[in-house]
Each structure stands twice: as C-alpha cells, then as structure tokens.
Amino acid sequence: MEKITLICNSMQSFMDLCENNLVQSCFVHCTFIVGISDFKWMERELKSKNGNELSVRKLVKDGVN
C-alpha cells in the first residue's frame, strides 16, 4: 500500500483536512511550529478520523516559540 503524506501549512489547513474526512489512512506533516498541548489534541483528532501518524516541523513547550 502506498504511503500518502498530506502537508499542512497552518492549523486551519489541518482542521479543514480533518473536518472534511480527507486524512483517512494518511500521514500528516505540519510545516508550522506546534505546542505540546496542541500536538496532543491534533493527534487525537487525526486518530478519530482514522488517520495514521502526525509529524511537525518543530514541537515546542506550550507558550514558547
């Protein structure tokens, strides 16, 4: 099976993909910086839509850029 990775350039694009059920069986990579609590929420959201794994450009402590 082919590995499909979707690229998100913003939180809004990630939310749009999930809300429209476009992440099923896909990997998602976000090019923006994500805080730990947002990352945990995004992982849960991705899994709830039957997505595979989430990766980000940079993961930071909440409140740190």
Side-chain angles (χ1 to χ4, degrees):
M1 185 170 171
E2 184 179 357
K3 177 182 173 180
I4 298 172
T5 301
L6 304 174
I7 306 295
C8 297
N9 295 314
S10 67
M11 181 64 83
Q12 186 62 53
S13 64
F14 174 80
M15 291 169 46
D16 289 344
L17 288 173
C18 290
E19 288 173 5
N20 290 296
N21 296 314
L22 300 173
V23 296
Q24 187 172 355
S25 300
C26 294
F27 294 83
V28 176
H29 177 72
C30 298
T31 61
F32 53 96
I33 297 171
V34 176
I36 292 171
S37 62
D38 284 339
F39 183 81
K40 290 178 181 178
W41 171 83
M42 292 166 72
E43 276 190 318
R44 286 191 305 271
E45 184 68 15
L46 182 63
K47 295 294 182 185
S48 76
K49 302 294 183 176
N50 297 313
N52 283 329
E53 292 181 29
L54 176 66
S55 62
V56 296
R57 178 177 74 92
K58 186 175 181 181
L59 185 63
V60 297
K61 290 186 202 177
D62 294 327
V64 177
N65 287 329

